[in-house]
Amino acid sequence: MAHVTKSDQIRYIELGNFAVDLNEGDVVVFDSVKDISPLYPLKPMTTLIAACFQGWQTMSANGQIIELREGTILICPPNLRISGGDHSPDFECKVVCVADQLVRTLLRDKVDCWHHAIYVNQANLVPMIPSSREDLRFYFSLMRSKLKRDNPAQPYEILLALLRSFLLEMCFMMEQSHGVKSDQRLSQGKVLFNKFLSLISNSQVKRQPISVYASQLAITPKYLTMLCLKYSNKTASEWVSQYTVEEIRYYLRSTDLSIKEISAHMGFANMSHFGSYVRKHLGVSPSEFRFKKK
């Protein structure tokens, strides 16, 4: 865990607000944002969550005009194109930017809810539950406090647990919001894309040919990839790889299973193949990643 340097912060985002960093840029918190527009473009595969506590701001998200008002949370998926608009003089919100892979790793049992809200609805405006408004302030305050401490003795699990709790609050609010809008009908393409993500999430062996998933959806691999590109700007193969890498991260860092057991559990033909895959995607061997200082 380390602070973001001034040069790194400028590369990440051109904004003068306080920023903190966890795990090489996986989490960045902005305590008081007066204009969301300068936050873009974000790093690839970064989800933005902005909670507005005062005023309003309008902006364009992939050509759609949205308005973030007091008492509302804006949740934007990776690769969304945001351009600036007007904002009130008193506009103020708190923002957290989280690497997409970390979001899904922490929301293992709630990932379907997150996928539906983020990748189907795109720029998602969620009303704050009034009773949770002050809790959200505390979450941002705690995240800022924990992340800015350059303390090697600080347990990594505490930081992850705090972020997971925050994300679960977001899921709860999204579920409440979607319950009100349950009469909205999804297009067939969006339904298939949702089912594809659910299939990967619920598969013990995620690293399978795209044709396997396409067959379960009764569509062609080419059409499946087209849907993925349309709704997430990622191919079907990229989704499978990302889920697989997240699973590897989880088993290596959060379980006591041996590397041989993890390799077999995830469907790799042998440990050599597993090791090559980990080195390709994580840059180090499985054992090096497991014992790498967090």
Side-chain angles (χ1 to χ4, degrees):
M1 182 176 67
H3 291 285
V4 175
T5 65
K6 183 63 177 176
S7 60
D8 286 338
Q9 182 179 336
I10 291 173
R11 284 199 297 271
Y12 189 102
I13 201 168
E14 292 184 359
L15 193 69
N17 291 59
F18 177 79
V20 290
D21 169 69
L22 166 67
N23 194 17
E24 300 179 354
D26 280 351
V27 180
V28 181
V29 175
F30 298 92
D31 187 51
S32 179
V33 174
K34 301 293 185 182
D35 180 3
I36 290 179
S37 304
L39 272 65
Y40 285 84
L42 294 173
K43 276 186 176 180
M45 301 315 300
T46 300
T47 295
L48 176 140
I49 304 171
C52 180
F53 292 95
Q54 184 171 296
W56 56 268
Q57 178 172 1
T58 60
M59 62 201 85
S60 173
N62 281 354
Q64 175 189 358
I65 302 300
I66 57 176
E67 185 175 64
L68 177 61
R69 287 193 168 273
E70 180 178 344
T72 305
I73 302 167
L74 173 66
I75 306 178
C76 292
N79 299 316
L80 196 70
R81 298 185 300 276
I82 294 284
S83 56
D86 296 328
H87 58 85
S88 63
D90 63 340
F91 175 72
E92 186 168 351
C93 71
K94 299 179 184 294
V95 174
V96 58
C97 300
V98 189
D100 193 46
Q101 62 184 22
L102 184 57
V103 171
R104 292 194 308 282
T105 298
L106 294 176
L107 286 181
R108 296 174 63 82
D109 53 339
K110 281 286 187 180
V111 75
D112 287 344
C113 164
W114 189 265
H115 285 158
H116 175 82
I118 299 303
Y119 291 105
V120 172
N121 296 328
Q122 292 292 294
N124 203 27
L125 289 172
V126 181
M128 289 184 196
I129 297 174
S131 60
S132 298
R133 181 163 175 155
E134 288 307 308
D135 290 345
L136 289 179
R137 288 186 182 274
F138 284 125
Y139 273 118
F140 277 99
S141 178
L142 276 171
M143 284 190 288
R144 182 184 66 174
S145 175
K146 291 291 183 182
L147 291 170
K148 74 179 181 180
R149 293 176 184 170
D150 192 11
N151 179 6
Q154 178 74 52
Y156 184 68
E157 289 77 8
I158 291 178
L159 301 174
L160 294 185
L162 176 59
L163 184 57
R164 172 174 160 79
S165 296
F166 172 75
L167 292 172
L168 287 174
E169 288 275 0
M170 296 299 103
C171 285
F172 177 70
M173 292 184 188
M174 287 189 286
E175 287 173 337
Q176 296 298 306
S177 175
H178 294 157
V180 176
K181 301 175 182 179
S182 59
D183 59 333
Q184 290 184 346
R185 301 184 63 184
L186 302 179
S187 70
Q188 180 65 18
K190 289 180 180 179
V191 169
L192 288 170
F193 173 67
N194 258 2
K195 287 183 177 179
F196 170 58
L197 296 183
S198 181
L199 283 175
I200 308 176
S201 178
N202 293 319
S203 296
Q204 177 176 315
V205 178
K206 296 173 172 34
R207 194 180 58 88
Q208 302 184 68
I210 300 306
S211 58
V212 172
Y213 290 110
S215 176
Q216 293 179 66
L217 295 169
I219 59 178
T220 66
K222 183 177 180 180
Y223 183 56
L224 176 56
T225 288
M226 185 197 75
L227 291 176
C228 291
L229 287 170
K230 179 178 181 180
Y231 295 116
S232 69
N233 292 320
K234 292 171 61 177
T235 66
S237 294
E238 287 172 331
W239 272 113
V240 171
S241 293
Q242 190 160 322
Y243 267 87
T244 301
V245 172
E246 288 161 17
E247 197 90 333
I248 290 171
R249 287 176 184 271
Y250 171 76
Y251 282 116
L252 288 176
R253 283 279 173 84
S254 304
T255 76
D256 294 325
L257 293 174
S258 69
I259 293 175
K260 182 178 181 179
E261 288 172 328
I262 295 172
S263 173
H265 179 76
M266 298 192 65
F268 285 86
N270 52 62
M271 287 184 63
S272 176
H273 189 191
F274 178 67
S276 297
Y277 189 92
V278 173
R279 277 188 287 271
K280 176 181 177 181
H281 292 277
L282 296 177
V284 293
S285 70
S287 58
E288 287 173 324
F289 183 82
R290 166 164 274 178
F291 297 110
K292 185 179 178 182
K293 184 177 179 180
K294 303 177 177 94

